[in-house]
């Protein structure tokens, strides 16, 4: 256990050391270039040992940046290409974007603009894939610098503006310092020295706060160029010397070379030819070190070697893939044949299963239709039985009593044959009883089948029903019709009458309503019937699941005419609305046709 803990502690120290080196690269580089290089080699070796591929790739990239800043482009590119293989292997698009931006810097300094653009294209594609705005801004800035170097400063300014927008959005102070200097260079090239000076000051303020020695050195160089343009050569020399001092501290030979070039121009303008000659020699010395033929050839060979090795790897990989593909194709053919047979069997099984399911569904559907038919027949039988009981009850309770009273009157007439006054009273009473019997017969006949329904139609029958309800002086019923031009066929009229009669009967019994309104409205393809009352609402689910015949009678008759029903009611709330919808064409068809539908 102690050994494992010791090993874990050692691994933790190593990863902490590597992270520290990578995080503090620029500080280490500024302090001591040689020490920074050694530490980066340590970080790379530890990452390789522990299999930390991302850290190894970053160490190789920083190693390349260090040598690039020192002008050792051969070592820089070799390290970059090694890092590129790892970044691509682990699909680290952020690393690829940054790496190829750095590679473009070397090609730009060497004058290989086509290769610089190609590197920037790879960097931009990777930055977009990673959605990395920071690296995308760096990419745009480098494109702008290349265009500026080619003399297309207006196109360069478009890219600088894109960079500015990104740096502001990301609150990237370091990047903002660089792009402000790019704008300063743009205005310098345009001859607008006042604006150039303004942007330099803004950039310098940021870079001084960030202790960016290299950045301040670049700003001092541009300030010197501005003063040179103003023919203030002595002041320009001061800034070029200050830039050189900072560039030496930062280990930035490219800028040192530039400063010597401008210094020799300044001294020549001041007619100090000795100093001009000295600075020209220094310029050539740095120029030779950065651009000698051997280095350029070595870089060309390195690029060619990298591309050749990459192509050889691709060819080898392609050969292996071809062999593997042949074996795979053979295996795939066997698998496809087996799968084809399997699919045919599955299709056959599925077809048989679907046939069986279809038969089963048809059986269930037929069974449901049978049950529905039985339920409808049962509902009709119950309805007829209910009507018979009500008819028998009416005959027994009302007609029976009236007939019994009339019989007693006739018997009394026989007994009082000699008393004219009594006989006259009995006759008058009998006449009243006969009138009552006639009235009851009419009521019973109306309930069984209103004569007005057969003779005049549904609307008049409902109006007569409403008139009978209104005689109670407790409920006000009304029937309204909009757009109906003719009568429905017999099946629809009887069915709708019985549905509405059943519904109104329930309203009168249970809702305690004082107003009932029945409305018929004809539309293009349908007729809407609504029944509204101001009585107490009810629980619709309880009504639909009730064991009484009323709900079943309504549904049975509604199914007969293929109508639909909607009920708007709620327990504890006043007002209930019943809405019936029937097909207009079917309702107006002759009864013989309608019965077949």
């Amino acid at each position: 256990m102690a050994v494992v803990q010791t090993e874990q502690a050692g691994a933790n120290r190593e990863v902490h050391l590597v992270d520290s080196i990578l995080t503090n690269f620029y500080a280490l580089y500024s302090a001591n270039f040689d020490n920074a290089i050694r530490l980066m080699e340590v970080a790379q070796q530890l990452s390789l040992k522990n299999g930390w591929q991302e850290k190894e790739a970053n160490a190789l990239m920083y190693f390349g940046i260090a040598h690039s800043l020192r002008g050792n482009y051969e070592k820089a590119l070799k390290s970059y290409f090694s890092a590129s293989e790892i970044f691509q292997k682990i699909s680290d698009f952020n690393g690829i974007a940054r790496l190829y931006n750095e590679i473009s810097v070397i090609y730009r300094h060497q004058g290989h603009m086509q290769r610089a653009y190609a590197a920037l294209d790879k960097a931009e594609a990777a930055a977009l894939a990673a959605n990395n705005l920071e690296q995308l801004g760096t990419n745009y800035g480098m494109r702008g610098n290349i265009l500026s170097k080619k003399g297309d400063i207006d196109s360069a300014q478009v890219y600088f503006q894109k960079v500015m927008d990104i740096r502001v959005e990301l609150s990237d102070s370091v990047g903002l310092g660089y792009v402000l200097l790019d704008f300063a260079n743009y205005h310098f090239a345009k001859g607008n020295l006042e604006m150039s000076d303004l942007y330099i000051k803004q950039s310098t303020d940021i870079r001084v706060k960030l202790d960016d020695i290299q950045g301040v050195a670049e700003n001092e160089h541009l300030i010197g160029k501005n003063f040179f343009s103003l023919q203030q050569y002595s002041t320009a020399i001061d800034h070029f010397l200050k830039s050189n001092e900072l560039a030496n501290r930062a280990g930035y030979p490219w800028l040192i070379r530039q400063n010597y070039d401008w210094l020799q121009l300044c001294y020549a303008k001041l007619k100090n030819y000795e100093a001009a000659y000295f600075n020209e020699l220094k310029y050539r010395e740095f120029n030779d070190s950065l651009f000698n033929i051997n280095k350029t050839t070595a870089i060309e060979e390195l690029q060619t070697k990298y591309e050749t090795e990459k192509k050889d790897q691709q060819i080898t990989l392609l050969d292996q893939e071809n062999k593997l593909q042949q074996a795979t194709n053979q295996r795939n053919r066997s698998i496809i044949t087996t799968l084809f047979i399997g699919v045919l069997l599955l299709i056959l099984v599925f077809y048989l299963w679907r046939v069986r399911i279809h038969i089963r569904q048809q059986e269930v559907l037929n069974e449901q239709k049978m049950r529905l038919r039985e339920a409808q027949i049962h509902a009709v039988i119950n309805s007829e039985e209910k009507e018979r009981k009500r008819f028998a009850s009416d005959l027994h309770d009302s007609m029976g009593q009236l007939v019994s009273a009339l019989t007693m009157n006739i018997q009394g007439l026989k007994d009082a044959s000699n008393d004219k006054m009594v006989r006259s009273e009995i006759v008058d009473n009998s006449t009243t009883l006969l009138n009552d019997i006639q009235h009851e017969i009419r009521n019973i006949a109306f309930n069984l089948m209103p004569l007005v329904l057969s003779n005049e139609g549904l609307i008049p029958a409902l109006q007569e029903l409403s008139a009978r309800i209104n005689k109670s002086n407790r409920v006000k019923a009304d029937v309204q019709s909009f757009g109906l031009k003719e009568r429905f066929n017999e099946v629809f009229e009887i069915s709708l009458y019985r549905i509405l009669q059943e519904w109104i009967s329930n309203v009168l019994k249970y809702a305690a309503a004082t107003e009932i309104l029945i409305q018929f409205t004809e539309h293009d393809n349908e007729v809407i019937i609504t029944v509204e009352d101001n009585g107490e609402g009810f629980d619709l689910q309880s009504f639909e699941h009730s064991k009484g015949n009323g709900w079943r009678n309504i549904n049975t008759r509604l199914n007969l005419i293929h109508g639909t029903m909607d009920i708007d009611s709620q327990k504890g709330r006043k007002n209930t609305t019943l809405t019936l919808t029937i097909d207009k064409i079917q309702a107006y068809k002759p009864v013989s046709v309608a019965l077949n539908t």
Side-chain angles (χ1 to χ4, degrees):
M1 179 63 72
V3 173
V4 173
Q5 290 179 344
T6 302
E7 290 178 352
Q8 183 63 43
N12 290 338
R13 284 194 298 271
E14 287 181 353
V15 72
H16 179 73
L17 174 61
V18 171
D19 288 340
S20 178
I21 293 171
L22 296 177
T23 303
N24 297 290
F25 162 72
Y26 286 103
L28 293 169
Y29 174 85
S30 298
N32 188 315
F33 169 78
D34 293 330
N35 186 49
I37 292 294
R38 283 194 295 270
L39 288 173
M40 206 55 63
E41 288 176 339
V42 170
Q44 190 265 333
Q45 291 300 322
L46 288 175
S47 298
L48 178 63
K49 183 189 79 172
N50 290 286
W52 302 330
Q53 291 182 307
E54 182 182 358
K55 297 182 190 299
E56 182 186 0
N58 277 295
L60 287 167
M61 180 174 66
Y62 282 127
F63 188 84
I65 291 173
H67 283 293
S68 176
L69 290 171
R70 284 286 168 143
N72 193 338
Y73 298 140
E74 183 181 356
K75 284 188 177 181
L77 283 176
K78 185 176 181 180
S79 186
Y80 285 157
F81 292 149
S82 297
S84 175
E85 292 180 1
I86 299 174
F87 280 137
Q88 291 182 20
K89 182 179 179 181
I90 63 177
S91 298
D92 185 347
F93 294 109
N94 288 310
I96 293 171
R98 184 175 181 187
L99 180 67
Y100 276 92
N101 277 330
E102 295 294 343
I103 290 174
S104 74
V105 172
I106 293 179
Y107 288 140
R108 186 185 65 190
H109 285 170
Q110 288 291 312
H112 300 308
M113 295 307 175
Q114 188 174 356
R115 287 184 179 177
Y117 272 123
L120 288 174
D121 288 341
K122 290 183 180 180
E124 183 175 348
L128 289 172
N131 195 24
N132 190 330
L133 280 180
E134 181 183 357
Q135 285 302 317
L136 194 61
T138 301
N139 182 278
Y140 290 155
M142 290 183 175
R143 288 183 186 275
N145 280 314
I146 292 175
L147 290 168
S148 181
K149 188 171 182 180
K150 291 171 65 175
D152 191 357
I153 56 176
D154 290 327
S155 297
Q157 194 268 348
V158 174
Y159 280 103
F160 293 152
Q161 186 59 54
K162 289 183 179 181
V163 179
M164 175 72 80
D165 294 339
I166 291 173
R167 299 312 181 201
V168 171
E169 180 181 347
L170 297 177
S171 299
D172 180 4
S173 298
V174 176
L176 194 59
Y178 277 94
V179 73
L180 286 170
L181 181 62
D182 289 332
F183 273 105
N185 274 304
Y186 167 77
H187 286 289
F188 174 80
K190 282 285 190 179
N192 192 347
L193 301 182
E194 185 176 351
M195 286 298 297
S196 177
D197 187 56
L198 177 63
Y199 278 111
I200 292 172
K201 288 179 180 178
Q202 293 178 1
S203 175
T204 302
D205 289 342
I206 294 173
R207 289 176 153 181
V208 168
K209 289 178 183 178
L210 295 173
D211 196 24
D212 181 3
I213 298 174
Q214 179 181 324
V216 176
E218 291 175 337
N219 290 7
E220 288 292 334
H221 176 79
L222 184 54
I223 294 171
K225 289 166 66 174
N226 281 353
F227 278 110
F228 183 88
S229 298
L230 295 171
Q231 298 183 3
Q232 298 180 25
Y233 305 119
S234 297
T235 306
I237 289 172
D238 292 339
H239 287 284
F240 287 133
L241 290 173
K242 185 175 182 181
S243 175
N244 243 5
E245 177 190 350
L246 295 171
N248 272 299
R249 285 171 54 190
Y252 193 11
W254 178 265
L255 185 58
I256 296 172
R257 165 184 167 275
Q258 297 279 73
N259 283 322
Y260 281 131
D261 188 26
W262 282 90
L263 281 168
Q264 62 97 4
L265 292 174
C266 289
Y267 283 119
K269 290 291 184 180
L270 293 173
K271 302 189 185 308
N272 187 343
Y273 299 113
E274 184 178 353
Y277 178 69
F278 171 78
N279 282 281
E280 184 180 0
L281 290 177
K282 298 296 291 184
Y283 167 76
R284 290 180 180 179
E285 177 185 336
F286 274 84
N287 195 56
D288 291 342
S289 66
L290 291 171
F291 291 99
N292 65 64
I293 295 174
N294 291 334
K295 278 196 174 184
T296 302
T297 303
I299 290 172
E300 292 285 349
E301 291 175 352
L302 185 62
Q303 174 71 22
T304 303
K305 181 181 178 182
Y306 170 72
E307 292 175 353
T308 302
E309 288 178 352
K310 197 170 183 180
K311 288 179 180 178
D312 290 342
Q313 290 174 359
Q314 290 174 347
I315 292 170
T316 303
L317 182 62
L318 187 61
D319 289 339
Q320 292 175 351
E321 287 178 351
N322 286 336
K323 292 178 181 178
L324 181 62
Q325 188 64 41
Q326 290 175 359
T328 303
N329 289 342
Q330 183 64 35
R331 185 181 71 248
N332 287 345
R333 281 193 289 270
S334 301
I335 293 173
I336 289 170
T337 303
T338 305
L339 286 175
F340 181 73
I341 296 172
V343 168
L344 288 178
L345 291 174
L346 285 174
I347 292 172
L348 180 60
V349 172
F350 178 74
Y351 173 74
L352 295 174
W353 175 76
R354 287 290 296 171
V355 170
R356 184 176 178 182
I357 290 294
H358 179 70
I359 293 172
R360 178 58 183 161
Q361 288 176 341
Q362 195 63 41
E363 291 175 352
V364 171
L365 183 60
N366 292 335
E367 185 177 350
Q368 289 175 345
K369 288 181 178 179
M370 185 69 70
R371 289 179 181 176
L372 179 60
R373 182 63 179 165
E374 290 175 356
Q376 290 176 342
I377 293 171
H378 183 67
V380 171
I381 293 173
N382 285 340
S383 177
E384 291 177 351
E385 191 64 29
K386 179 182 176 184
E387 288 296 317
R388 290 192 184 99
K389 288 180 181 179
R390 185 171 62 82
F391 183 55
S393 177
D394 290 343
L395 290 174
H396 180 271
D397 295 343
S398 60
M399 290 289 290
Q401 293 175 8
L402 292 171
V403 170
S404 296
L406 181 60
T407 302
M408 290 176 64
N409 279 353
I410 294 172
Q411 186 64 39
L413 184 62
K414 180 180 178 182
D415 294 340
S417 58
N418 296 324
D419 191 338
K420 291 183 177 181
M421 291 185 65
V422 172
R423 287 169 62 87
S424 177
E425 184 180 348
I426 290 174
V427 170
D428 291 339
N429 190 28
S430 297
T431 301
T432 302
L433 288 172
L434 285 171
N435 289 333
D436 291 342
I437 289 171
Q438 185 183 23
H439 180 71
E440 285 299 322
I441 290 172
R442 285 179 178 174
N443 284 339
I444 292 171
F446 181 82
N447 287 331
L448 287 174
M449 177 59 70
L451 188 60
V452 68
L453 179 62
S454 300
N455 294 338
E456 300 180 35
L458 178 61
I459 303 300
L462 290 172
Q463 290 172 340
E464 183 178 352
L465 177 62
S466 299
R468 288 173 176 268
I469 294 171
N470 291 336
K471 287 181 180 179
S472 67
N473 293 323
R474 292 187 298 109
V475 181
K476 180 183 177 182
D478 190 20
V479 179
Q480 298 176 354
S481 173
F482 303 98
L484 295 185
K485 299 176 182 178
E486 54 183 302
R487 292 180 56 178
F488 299 147
N489 63 55
E490 184 179 359
V491 173
F492 271 77
E493 288 194 335
I494 293 173
S495 298
L496 288 172
Y497 183 83
R498 291 305 183 196
I499 291 170
L500 295 173
Q501 185 184 41
E502 182 72 39
W503 182 264
I504 293 170
S505 176
N506 285 332
V507 172
L508 295 174
K509 286 181 183 179
Y510 307 115
T514 60
E515 294 180 2
I516 300 175
L517 175 61
I518 306 170
Q519 288 185 325
F520 285 74
T521 306
E522 183 175 310
H523 298 282
D524 291 339
N525 299 313
E526 60 189 13
V527 177
I528 307 294
I529 304 117
T530 59
V531 183
E532 300 179 23
D533 68 79
N534 64 348
E536 297 291 338
F538 58 89
D539 183 7
L540 185 58
Q541 288 187 346
S542 299
F543 179 62
E544 290 176 348
H545 294 91
S546 64
K547 296 181 179 179
N549 291 324
W551 175 250
R552 281 184 289 177
N553 289 339
I554 290 174
N555 273 293
T556 299
R557 295 187 184 276
L558 193 61
N559 289 333
L560 180 63
I561 60 176
H562 304 292
T564 60
M565 174 174 56
D566 180 68
I567 301 173
D568 180 14
S569 185
Q570 187 174 334
K571 191 173 183 179
R573 187 195 75 186
K574 292 281 187 180
N575 301 323
T576 295
T577 301
L578 167 70
T579 303
L580 303 175
T581 304
I582 61 172
D583 185 274
K584 176 180 173 181
I585 297 175
Q586 294 296 324
Y588 286 128
K589 277 184 180 180
V591 65
S592 59
V593 178
L595 286 171
N596 293 328
T597 59

